[in-house]
Amino acid sequence: MRNIRNKINLSLACILILVFGWGVLSGYGQHPESIKRGTLETPRIYLNLSGFNLEAPKRFTVPSLEDGTSFIIRRKEGGDILYEGKINNQIGDFSAFNPKSYYPQEYVVEAGQLVSEPFFVGPWWLQKVTYQPAMDFMIQSRHYVGNVREVRRKSYGWRDDTHFAFELNALVEQYLSNPAAYTRMPRKVTYNEPDDRAAWGTLLPYDEEAPDIVKLIHWGADVIVTRDLKHEMFKEQLAYFLYAWPWIKQWLPDQNYQVVQDYAFGHWTDPNRDQENQYWHEETPEGSHNLLEINTELGSTKGGNPPGHTIQPNLLMYEVAKRQGKSDPEKFLNAAVRQTAWIIENLDWQNPQTTKGQRTSEHVTLTALVHMLREYPEAAPEGLQQKITEWAEIVISRSDNMWDFRKLSDDQWVPTGSAPTMWNETGNLAGFPAIAYAAASVINNREISSRLEVLAQSHFDNLFGRNPTGRAASYNAPSELTGVEHGWFSEHLGGIGLLENVMFVLDGSPKEEHYPYNPELGDVGWTEGWVNFNTAYNRSLAWHAWYHSGIDLVQRGDKVEVALRAPLNFNYNASEPVELKLTTEAGDTERVRLEEVYNLSREMRGSIYVKEGRKLMPDNGFLELETGEVIKVSYGFGYLQRKDEIVFGR
């Protein structure tokens, strides 16, 4: 049953009118800045209730004010005007507001007689607020060993994950894109000895000092091989484990790699899945689990068969096969190329089912196409660049509204259906930033890529209150996420996932009826969190980190300076140093320590002394180099790595 404890019925609404007077509801009287929704009062200035990153898009929606109306920003406590602007198309843009302060502060928008809820502006604010909650969700929602220990149907590594939650896809990308952030997190996961259910335990345990994200990657792979899950989408997840091995192996036994690689390579081309496990919402035709074959099926809005889901796993297996010296690695690359070519020739982005109609799994397709174009431009099929650009142009055309919200089609906001559960599309909002950032990284038109950056942020903002309900997607957001006053109307109690006591559940999002602006409808449509929603969000965290990260090397006299920009400054009251390796072409290495420039800095810097010579001198803290020798530095790993190099003495 659904929990309706936050709903208000008509009788109570009438009582409120009598008590507080019509002025409250019409915008006059006791709360002129608010209108009633449920038992909460949310301002009619709609924005990210938690806050915004420095040097990032910052926008709000105000449906009730005319274009040209002035707005200001000041501190929550009042005081001087810090920023001024004007409303345009019911949107206020204050992206240029990047306060330079030495401690985080809350601000408000004032426009007409309206005052917004307070919000923060700080370095990497979104990541500071959600990295740990996102990790806690993945820890607590595990099947068998999470905060619920009973066996759940339709569940494998995570409760209610089915076969298309793409857990390892997201977890591995999170680690590749921002390893220092996840390595320094507190350790909350401990190994659970397997019981007699034969659900896990084939992989030997990890080192207890491993970061939680590595433990979760180990968990996901262990369940797949132990339960013998031969569904194509479970086999695909093992490619991410194998690809990440060089960067996670320090915490895992060698046996883990051997078992996973034997299973993945041994079953990659099996046409049939196992019959022992029941795969709910199955959309892969029987006999079509050979991952080297072209998939010509277009999945439903459930998200169970997103187009091109084999592309990225095959590209990763290509790299793994080359690393292992396999005799035929090209077969994986060729399969990815053929599948990409099929998409170019057959998918019509004008058909909503190919994009937002994939709901929670849409993030799979575009990130794969971008991976192909970025990493294998010579092998990429002709027309791929244009295909991605066409996708972006259609997305932008469907986002020209006061919410900066990508609609399903020109005539419809979100997917709908005949059943009561059709559709809670929260996972699509959560995964959209991943594909927007991915596409922006390969599009050569700066106007298009800039608009995609705005849309990526607007969909994050939608999850945190910039939507027609004025509520964050998580019911428990007010108690879990800094700065959020208004959580979703309700949460789903029970169900297969049993998520009501899990951290950072993405419970709900506005339905077709709410748009373009019908906040008085309250809690309509289906509400229920799902691990698939959170893994989509996790991929957005990964692609956000990669897209906004950068690293630079500069030689200044007898020093080489390193500057790193990455989502790492989460504790504004203490230094959080990072160590990176400088490497020479001769193979010499030296570590350099980087620290925040100041406590609210987005950038970290460090330096190391260098002089001309040949020998590495780690004890003296400098590198001896020859003029013309190349020095390299990097952050992150694999296809989500950022790197730079310079030539010494030039």
Side-chain angles (χ1 to χ4, degrees), residues 44-46 59-69 71 86-93 400-404 466 516-517:
R44 288 179 288 174
I45 295 177
Y46 298 85
R59 290 157 75 92
F60 63 86
T61 298
V62 55
S64 61
L65 297 183
E66 294 182 358
D67 284 357
T69 301
F71 71 87
K86 291 186 180 297
I87 305 297
N88 183 35
N89 295 326
Q90 282 73 56
I91 294 172
D93 191 321
D400 186 16
N401 54 71
M402 63 179 166
W403 305 105
D404 292 315
R466 188 188 168 197
Y517 183 58

Side-chain angles (χ1 to χ4, degrees), residues 508-522:
S509 56
K511 309 303 186 288
E512 179 72 14
E513 298 91 330
H514 287 118
Y515 288 104
Y517 183 58
N518 298 297
E520 71 281 355
L521 293 180

Side-chain angles (χ1 to χ4, degrees), residues 140-171:
Q140 296 169 11
S141 64
R142 286 174 297 162
H143 195 199
Y144 310 114
V145 298
N147 68 335
V148 173
R149 296 303 177 103
E150 63 187 79
V151 178
R152 308 301 294 168
R153 63 188 177 93
K154 202 173 71 171
S155 304
Y156 305 98
W158 279 261
R159 302 196 297 274
D160 198 18
D161 59 355
T162 64
H163 51 279
F164 52 98
F166 306 110
E167 298 98 334
L168 297 193
N169 311 38
L171 289 166

Side-chain angles (χ1 to χ4, degrees), residues 233-244:
M233 293 182 198
F234 277 126
K235 293 188 294 183
E236 289 171 3
Q237 291 199 46
L238 297 180
Y240 293 82
F241 179 94
L242 296 174
Y243 180 81

Side-chain angles (χ1 to χ4, degrees), residues 46 49 104 165 220 263 277 353 390 435 465 622:
Y46 298 85
L49 295 168
Y263 192 93
N277 294 285
Q353 194 57 38
E390 289 172 358
I435 55 181
F622 59 80

Side-chain angles (χ1 to χ4, degrees), residues 2 7 488-489 509 511 513-514 521-527:
R2 299 181 62 202
K7 292 185 178 179
W488 194 244
F489 295 99
S509 56
K511 309 303 186 288
E513 298 91 330
H514 287 118
L521 293 180
D523 194 6
V524 299
W526 191 255
T527 292

Side-chain angles (χ1 to χ4, degrees), residues 27 55 57 128 190 242 301-302 324 458 468 592:
E55 307 295 339
K128 170 183 168 63
T190 57
L242 296 174
T301 306
K302 188 68 180 180
Q324 294 185 197
S458 70
V592 58

Side-chain angles (χ1 to χ4, degrees), residues 584-585 611-615 623-631 647-650:
T584 71
E585 57 187 314
K611 69 177 184 178
E612 196 165 0
R614 171 88 281 354
K615 185 181 177 184
L623 286 170
E624 292 196 6
L625 304 162
E626 293 184 352
T627 299
E629 192 166 356
V630 175
I631 312 171
V647 179
F648 175 65
R650 295 181 184 173

